[in-house]
Amino acid sequence: MSVYGAPVIGLHGNWLGIVVVMHDITELVHLEEVRKDFVANVSHELRTPVTSIKGFTETLLDGAMNEPEVLKDFLEIIQKESDRLHLLIDDLLELSGMEREGFSLQYAFINVKEVMDDALKITSGNFERKGISLVLEIQGDLIIEADADRLIQVMVNLLSNAINYSKEQTKVIISGTKSGSNVAIDVTDEGIGIEQSQLPRLFERFYRVDRARSRDSGGTGLGLAIVKHLIEAHGGTIDVESTIGVGTTFRIQLPIRKKI
Ligand code: ADP
């Protein structure tokens, strides 16, 4: 709470009283903390690959490059870390673009099944690599007013996570059903699951249940924050349910007709 006070003096210099203005700044303080956390996280996330690239390059220049085996190994690490940096910068630019005023969706009437097919084409290599099978249960012709490219992006994110956090030879189910004036799209996996206590923070930027595992799988920790942004920009919602060792379901609800 911030408090300001000022005396009120009448026309003839007589004392009339005091005006007190009180501002509840709890929300402002919270926003400032979120901003500071974000800057600290970005710095940390950027510094990690840069430090690694710098270290390996220096070691190579100090003589390690004369051993062909070492040279190849180190160059591969440098390439992997550069790719990671690239991905992180892309995701950060994407998020800041979405948060900027003027961000808009390209609405059109789209078929949910076609969006799923496009997202599956993009992720098919990863499904095959882990031998994960896919079950697609989309009700009839679900036509909604939405931005197709953005929904494909949402689905690719959710499917990539479902694959990354599942063991080989498991199953992912995508279902799409109409419910009132919304469509509900569920992505269910048979993966490692998430503790109940972690669920409320899952959509925060850079929040990861297991940092090392996410990093190994190439995650930036920004995927679900981007997904939530895109769904909410459509006037929809996203929720998650999970049981450790059983699996996770992400449920998206989208209005069938564009909300004005
Ligand atoms: P990341 O790039 O780390 O995957 P996300 O924002 O996409 O970042 O996800 C945040 C965290 O949520 C992940 O690090 C992971 O711990 C957890 N997570 C997301 N999807 C799943 C899933 N399907 N199963 C288990 N954990 C998940």
Side-chain angles (χ1 to χ4, degrees):
M1 179 85 66
S2 72
V3 182
Y4 300 96
V8 183
I9 310 292
L11 280 177
H12 308 292
N14 51 325
W15 171 266
L16 292 177
I18 296 178
V19 173
V20 179
V21 181
M22 288 185 268
H23 275 288
D24 182 356
I25 55 168
T26 324
E27 183 58 19
L28 278 181
V29 170
H30 173 68
L31 282 178
E32 181 56 14
E33 271 166 17
V34 169
R35 193 192 64 78
K36 277 189 193 154
D37 273 2
F38 180 63
V39 172
N41 274 326
V42 171
S43 315
H44 173 79
E45 296 290 333
L46 291 174
R47 192 177 295 134
T48 313
V50 171
T51 307
S52 166
I53 291 171
K54 194 166 178 291
F56 282 103
T57 312
E58 278 168 8
T59 316
L60 285 178
L61 290 173
D62 281 348
M65 64 194 236
N66 298 324
E67 292 170 51
E69 272 295 296
V70 178
L71 177 64
K72 185 166 177 292
D73 284 355
F74 282 17
L75 284 178
E76 275 169 5
I77 297 173
I78 291 171
Q79 187 182 36
K80 199 168 153 227
E81 293 296 311
S82 313
D83 286 347
R84 190 180 158 66
L85 212 48
H86 200 168
L87 207 67
L88 190 64
I89 292 167
D90 278 354
D91 276 359
L92 279 170
L93 288 175
E94 179 88 339
L95 254 186
S96 80
M98 283 174 195
E99 282 169 353
R100 202 162 296 150
E101 233 176 283
F103 168 75
S104 64
L105 297 167
Q106 306 298 313
Y107 276 98
F109 285 97
I110 58 169
N111 188 327
V112 173
K113 169 87 171 53
E114 283 170 18
V115 166
M116 298 304 152
D117 286 341
D118 286 342
L120 288 169
K121 260 182 229 151
I122 297 170
T123 47
S124 64
N126 289 340
F127 270 105
E128 277 163 29
R129 189 174 46 80
K130 278 185 99 169
I132 295 179
S133 53
L134 186 99
V135 181
L136 194 58
E137 296 166 345
I138 307 286
Q139 189 190 50
D141 261 350
L142 278 185
I143 308 290
I144 63 170
E145 215 176 345
D147 183 326
D149 287 339
R150 293 309 197 170
L151 282 194
I152 293 171
Q153 186 182 1
V154 163
M155 289 311 297
V156 168
N157 256 302
L158 294 181
L159 291 173
S160 304
N161 279 347
I163 298 167
N164 279 340
Y165 301 105
S166 290
K167 292 212 180 75
E168 294 186 355
Q169 314 299 331
T170 51
K171 197 167 63 194
V172 171
I173 305 169
I174 304 178
S175 71
T177 44
K178 196 168 169 236
S179 79
S181 56
N182 289 331
V183 287
I185 300 168
D186 287 5
V187 179
T188 302
D189 63 50
E190 299 176 338
I192 57 174
I194 306 160
E195 292 254 7
Q196 291 300 309
S197 61
Q198 314 258 9
L199 295 180
R201 300 198 57 193
L202 213 62
F203 296 95
E204 287 176 20
R205 298 178 286 194
F206 293 119
Y207 190 77
R208 286 123 153 179
V209 177
D210 179 345
R211 187 170 283 267
R213 186 181 182 125
S214 158
R215 197 169 189 282
D216 282 351
S217 65
T220 61
L222 293 172
L224 287 179
I226 293 175
V227 163
K228 189 171 161 72
H229 241 288
L230 290 175
I231 294 300
E232 288 180 350
H234 278 88
T237 56
I238 178 159
D239 298 292
V240 56
E241 277 176 19
S242 191
T243 310
I244 287 283
V246 176
T248 304
T249 296
F250 284 91
R251 163 164 285 202
I252 294 169
Q253 303 252 26
L254 281 172
I256 291 176
R257 283 295 152 90
K258 176 180 169 182
K259 283 194 176 161
I260 305 156

